[in-house]
Structure formats: C-alpha cells, structure tokens
Amino acid sequence: ESGHELLEGKESEATWWQIDAKGKKGQSSIHRNEGVPCEIDFEAVGGEATLSLRWPGKISVQTETRLAAGESLARSRIKIEVRDQGLGLKTVNFPLVEGILALTDGAENDQALTTHRVGNLKASPLVSGETLGFMYPGGSMQFTALVGDGRGLYFAEEDGRANRKHFDWTPDAGRGTLTFSISHPVLNWGARELVREYESPGDVVTGPFQGDWFDAARIYRKWAWTAPWSRKGTIHERQDYPRWLAELGYWSSHPLK
C-alpha cells in the first residue's frame, strides 16, 4: 500500500529463528535457520493461506504462518523437538528478523515504540546507535512497532499464559538496517534434565500497518480484550474485585516521566 520495501537481503539468507542450546556438561551452542535445507508446504483454504516450513535434523524445527485474505498481519507459531540426546533447549528466539529497512530517509523520523508502563516512543536504534529492548511481564505489554511518516511495522506475541520474554531492536550500522527479535527463555532450562521440546504459547504477529503508535496499540488492544486477564470485563463490571477498588476516584501509575 505504501510502496515501501520493508526488508533487505536475499531469501536464502533470511533469518527466522535462533536456538540457544546447552549440552549435558553445560556447554552452549547456537543454531539458526540460514543455510539449513528447509521443506516447504503451502495451502490456501477458506480465505486463509498457510505456509509451513520444516527444518529436519538433530534439532527439528517447524514453523507455521497464516495470513487471512485482506490482512497485512501474519500469525506464526514455532514447534521444536531436539532429537540429539546430548542437547537441550535454553532460549528460543522467534521471530528473528534481520535486514529491516528504515521507514524514512536516514531513519531520521523513525521511532520505535516500547510498551513498558504507559509506553514510550524513542528514536530508532539506527539513529541512537544503541539496542532498544524491554522485558515482559513486569509492567509492559507484548507488542512493539517501528513507525514513521504514517506507516509502521508491527510485532507482537499473543501469549495468554504471560510467559517471560524479551523484545529487542538492534541496529546494524554497516548495513543501515535493524534486527528485531523476541527471545523466550525455555521453562526449566536450568534443570539437570535437558528440555527437548518447545512450542509457541500463542501467535507471533508480524506485518506492516498504516498509522502511528496509536494504531499499533489498537491492533494489540483487539487481542488484549480476549486475554485471560481481560475477558471477564472491566473492573467495575466484575464481581471478583472489591467495590472500593472499582469505585476509587483516583488512580495513578508510578513512576511517570
């Protein structure tokens, strides 16, 4: 719609996931999708297209991405099975998207949305030269966006279990591009017994949209109303909140800047 390319790079070099694994003796190893042969399935049924990618091997990875007709936001999930008895999962980075281009000339008018506390807009890491990130949960929400000149690139995870995760925008000054990732510490990764399976707790949502931070927030809000902590309705309508809390005349959020 905007006529603007969002990504730089060859399809054969595209990144999608990264796995930080550990061995029985605690040694670490990193596994990524680039250069690994991939099996591809595609189907379109009932107004929705599904792209399934599978990387077989000692760490078997499968991703499924769905895109509905007339939508610009794709929904993806990842499933991992470790077949090497000497390896276990530690951290799953998904999505991992490299080569994100600036939305405005020199990224001068680009801003990255962080959703910690009441949210904030900050200069693109391509301008600041520093990685921009935030942890969920802990006063933040599960979405972010890069916005500039009336358009944006949206990333979110619709995880109703509220698992811990980290959102990061990282600059590549040499290429003039950004890398975005959501990293997921795997539950029980520090235990003696290696963890060999992981599956997305919810949809990872990615894609372009028209608008600014407010429009990004409205995209997330549509899902947030269905999350376990919201779907019972507003506080004044619920019976599991004390009436004095629902009827307070003043609320505050600290710290505010």
Side-chain angles (χ1 to χ4, degrees):
E1 186 171 332
S2 66
H4 181 85
E5 291 289 342
L6 294 171
L7 299 176
E8 174 191 76
K10 302 176 182 177
E11 287 185 24
S12 60
E13 299 173 351
T15 56
W16 191 216
W17 52 262
Q18 175 178 300
I19 296 168
D20 298 342
K22 74 168 189 175
K24 288 185 176 180
K25 296 182 179 179
Q27 68 273 27
S28 298
S29 58
I30 295 177
H31 308 261
R32 290 161 64 111
N33 65 278
E34 307 108 295
V36 181
C38 169
E39 300 171 358
I40 302 172
D41 280 323
F42 176 83
E43 66 175 358
V45 179
E48 182 176 79
T50 301
L51 175 66
S52 298
L53 306 176
R54 183 174 178 271
W55 293 263
K58 62 182 180 181
I59 299 181
S60 175
V61 180
Q62 181 172 342
T63 66
E64 183 178 278
T65 300
R66 311 182 316 277
L67 182 63
E71 294 288 336
S72 67
L73 299 176
R75 298 176 175 275
S76 304
R77 296 197 180 208
I78 190 170
K79 186 175 183 178
I80 303 169
E81 180 181 352
V82 181
R83 295 174 177 171
D84 186 332
Q85 295 301 306
L87 284 178
L89 300 172
K90 184 177 179 181
T91 305
V92 173
N93 293 272
F94 180 74
L96 172 65
V97 182
E98 295 182 348
I100 299 173
L101 295 165
L103 296 175
T104 62
D105 291 341
E108 291 184 1
N109 293 320
D110 286 11
Q111 293 179 303
L113 171 64
T114 63
T115 53
H116 188 57
R117 296 194 175 94
V118 294
N120 202 356
L121 284 170
K122 298 186 178 181
S124 167
L126 284 174
V127 175
S128 68
E130 299 179 354
T131 295
L132 179 63
F134 58 94
M135 180 74 76
Y136 173 89
S140 60
M141 288 174 276
Q142 301 183 72
F143 81 102
T144 182
L146 181 71
V147 296
D149 283 1
R151 57 179 176 260
L153 184 59
Y154 179 87
F155 290 98
E157 184 156 23
E158 297 177 349
D159 172 11
R161 299 184 224 163
N163 291 282
R164 181 174 290 271
K165 54 187 67 75
H166 206 280
F167 295 72
D168 287 293
W169 294 94
T170 306
D172 185 334
R175 294 174 60 186
T177 61
L178 291 172
T179 295
F180 176 78
S181 67
I182 304 178
S183 58
H184 308 80
V186 176
L187 292 176
N188 293 326
W189 71 263
R192 183 183 298 274
E193 185 175 348
L194 297 174
V195 180
R196 295 193 173 89
E197 293 183 353
Y198 176 84
E199 191 168 349
S200 293
D203 288 344
V204 166
V205 185
T206 61
F209 67 96
Q210 298 295 308
D212 56 15
W213 67 267
F214 184 77
D215 299 280
R218 286 174 65 87
I219 294 171
Y220 183 76
R221 183 179 187 271
K222 185 177 180 180
W223 170 78
W225 273 117
T226 71
W229 48 88
S230 299
R231 60 181 169 224
K232 289 183 180 180
T234 56
I235 288 176
H236 78 277
E237 296 174 319
R238 293 170 58 167
Q239 301 304 311
D240 54 350
Y241 273 88
R243 297 318 304 164
W244 65 263
L245 180 63
E247 296 170 1
L248 278 177
Y250 177 76
W251 286 63
S252 65
S253 177
H254 298 281
L256 295 175
K257 296 183 180 179

